[in-house]
Amino acid sequence: MNSIKPGYIYVLEHPSDPDLYKIGITTREPKKRLAEHNSDFTKAAGLEVKETGQTWVLKEYHAVPDPYLAESAFWAATPFSLFPFRSRVEIKTMSWETVQAGLSAARKVGVRPKSKPQPDHVYAYNAWMKKRLIGRGIVLVSHVRSKYGKSNFRCSQGHEWRTVPNEVAEGKGCPHCGQGARTPEEIRENLDVGVLCLLVSPLKLGFIRVVTVRGELEHLDDSDDIWNEWEIQRYRSVEEPELAETLIFGLLGNPTTDDDGLIEMDIDRAERAFKELHYSMVRQIAMAEKRHSETMEGDPS
């Protein structure tokens, strides 16, 4: 099923300059977007209204089956396509002939071909990358197939580049303008990470404990109070510790625990569950990322 929503490509003109146009796309009524552009003074179109005291006028609009593809076709048919780092703010001074050429191209395109489904690990890597881009003004514009391969990124200034995802994940910003640069420490501050531990004790043969320690692997040294006579048999660093806990207990067969967190279980079975946890996490994170990606096909503006 193709989840792309049909919509409109529209042209706004401004009374302050007969050659100043705003090109936009939306899946809602273009007149509603017009009202928003004329009232939101935090965006470029609204700032034009605030500075001049004059509002935008809806010159024309056209229904299109794929707004994003129509927008790309519009700009590809204009001289602005020659500038690879053109700003994402679609307000330009241009001739009406240029606008008409762009609209003609936009009306002719259909719908993007449905993308081939990717393996679960690719969607999981995409989710991993996007967590590290939050609040940085950088978006991922291609799949991450490996942390150390190459993927495409775009900053809020419109610059696009291709690089090793792990470098961006560790804090490197846009190579053209520096947008989104962070220290590794700043990146980690915004991540929900933990270490899931399988504990055994020579004094409690036939029993195990499963304990989650928040933070990085080195934080295990700060958790002596939970160990006592218990030793780490196996551990796994995880993102989304709550999900990891839910999954590991499911893999263990949802056993009951006593007040001390003891689980009566054969150690071999517990170790098999810990080995399976990675693949279970990948599947769950991939499913969530697929749903999110489908939702984001929604309302362009």
Side-chain angles (χ1 to χ4, degrees), residues 260-272:
D260 295 322
L262 270 64
I263 301 171
E264 187 173 4
M265 182 169 294
D266 178 73
I267 185 60
D268 290 337
R269 179 181 175 184
E271 286 200 323
R272 285 196 299 271

Side-chain angles (χ1 to χ4, degrees), residues 133-154:
L133 295 178
I134 293 174
R136 296 172 60 186
I138 299 174
V139 294
L140 175 68
V141 293
S142 69
H143 290 295
V144 177
R145 293 179 170 82
S146 166
K147 293 181 181 181
Y148 301 97
K150 290 289 183 72
S151 297
N152 298 329
F153 299 86
R154 182 174 62 237

